[in-house]
Amino acid sequence: MKIVRTISEIRQLTQSSQARTGLVPTMGAFHDGHLSLFRAARAECDVTIVSLFVNPAQFGANDDLDRYPRDEARDADIAGKAGVDVLFAPPVEELYPAGFHTWVDPERTGAEGAHRPDHFRGVATVCLKLFNIVRPDVAYFGQKDAQQAAVLRQMVRDLNLELELRVLPTVRDIDGLALSSRNAYLSSEERGRALALPRALTTGRAAYVQGSDPIAAARAALNGLNPDYVDVLELGDAKVLAVAARVGPTRLIDNVILEGELQ
Ligand code: AMP
């Protein structure tokens, strides 16, 4: 696997290539959720490029940018073993050089956007930059961040980007907790309490199937966790029950599909 740090090097690799290219944008600290995206890209494309970039622009002032888990050697080892062809791991100045001044500012950012001002501005901007740099045929995202996928799908439509966006199912631990790089912050006691999130979503979905209010049912099953939101979101053709809650200092998000498909 090649590790590339500059835009010019990536362009040299991809410019003249006719190969179908899959891009998986990530912030690292790889787990099986990331691996499922790498696998899909490998299965569906000729070349798999994974970007590893902890994007400062998508963190708020009080967020966890400084303590976000970073271990490039471990990630490179995992990606290499998974058959990734290129790991694009630029330094911050490569993507945001001095004088950087232009942002993509999505207007509809839903419940998550309401709680994280400018988060999706950072996400959309870095993804558009990555799409322009790598020029993938397909870009892969996880349902775990369904609202992110919806914002990006809207960006692809609104800005006429020529790429396919694929959203793959959330990978969970055997106890139901959605895999997340941020799970590393949880103590074992907090991890136990975090299980209220997937349980509440399962309860909410069951209520929905029986014709009652999924939000009320999920809220009641949160087992004392105080959520930022529990909401039903219309994301493209899908209806999704989504939750965000803090467990100790760690903010976790999760969702389940009530109807339709995120694709
Ligand atoms: P991150 O490194 O957390 O920014 O995530 C990179 C990509 O992996 C995003 O598209 C996420 O939605 C996706 N992802 C993160 N966790 C999971 C998971 N548990 N299952 C599936 N995809 C995931």
Side-chain angles (χ1 to χ4, degrees):
M1 184 185 70
K2 217 171 155 57
I3 301 182
V4 170
R5 303 206 182 272
T6 65
I7 294 166
S8 64
E9 251 184 299
I10 277 281
R11 290 220 159 115
Q12 270 167 27
L13 281 175
T14 56
Q15 222 155 36
S16 54
S17 159
Q18 295 299 311
R20 183 175 165 82
T21 303
L23 170 68
V24 186
T26 81
M27 299 206 301
F30 294 154
H31 50 64
D32 282 349
H34 297 109
L35 283 175
S36 79
L37 304 185
F38 303 169
R39 263 185 234 118
R42 282 201 66 204
E44 296 169 8
C45 300
D46 304 315
V47 176
T48 298
I49 301 182
V50 170
S51 62
L52 195 181
F53 183 67
V54 181
N55 175 31
Q58 70 187 68
F59 288 78
N62 300 318
D63 284 352
D64 54 345
L65 175 62
D66 290 341
R67 66 177 192 133
Y68 198 83
R70 290 172 174 88
D71 188 344
E72 188 189 300
R74 172 187 173 274
D75 284 344
D77 187 50
I78 292 173
K81 286 181 177 144
V84 169
D85 298 294
V86 180
L87 187 68
F88 177 46
V92 171
E93 318 77 69
E94 184 71 6
L95 292 191
Y96 299 110
F100 182 89
H101 207 65
T102 305
W103 299 92
V104 181
D105 207 353
E107 281 185 353
R108 268 192 231 142
T109 56
E112 185 66 8
H115 284 270
R116 299 188 73 187
D118 289 343
H119 170 67
F120 286 118
R121 176 187 194 247
V123 170
T125 301
V126 83
C127 284
L128 180 61
K129 285 169 70 69
L130 291 168
F131 296 163
N132 282 332
I133 293 163
V134 175
R135 305 219 156 237
D137 297 282
V138 193
Y140 294 85
F141 295 91
Q143 184 203 316
K144 160 79 170 30
D145 299 278
Q147 297 175 78
Q148 164 175 282
V151 165
L152 294 174
R153 208 179 271 294
Q154 184 76 40
M155 177 180 81
V156 166
R157 192 180 310 137
D158 290 347
L159 300 185
N160 309 101
L161 306 184
E162 253 190 306
L163 84 162
E164 186 188 333
L165 207 143
R166 295 257 289 116
V167 182
L168 294 166
T170 302
V171 178
R172 298 177 179 280
D173 248 327
I174 38 171
D175 56 9
L177 188 66
L179 297 184
S180 163
S181 304
R182 291 189 165 98
N183 292 353
Y185 301 148
L186 301 171
S187 68
S188 60
E189 180 269 335
E190 286 169 342
R191 204 186 172 296
R193 286 199 289 132
L195 289 177
L197 267 78
R199 287 179 185 152
L201 291 172
T202 305
T203 305
R205 185 170 48 194
Y208 181 78
V209 169
Q210 286 158 17
S212 51
D213 180 3
I215 299 177
R219 271 188 185 277
L222 269 174
N223 209 15
L225 290 184
N226 184 21
D228 274 357
Y229 59 83
V230 181
D231 211 350
V232 173
L233 309 167
E234 309 279 342
L235 302 179
D237 296 335
K239 194 179 264 196
V240 166
L241 178 63
V243 60
R246 266 175 214 284
V247 183
T250 307
R251 186 173 183 278
L252 299 176
I253 59 171
D254 198 355
N255 68 81
V256 290
I257 295 179
L258 298 177
E259 255 181 59
E261 265 184 61
L262 283 167
Q263 292 150 26

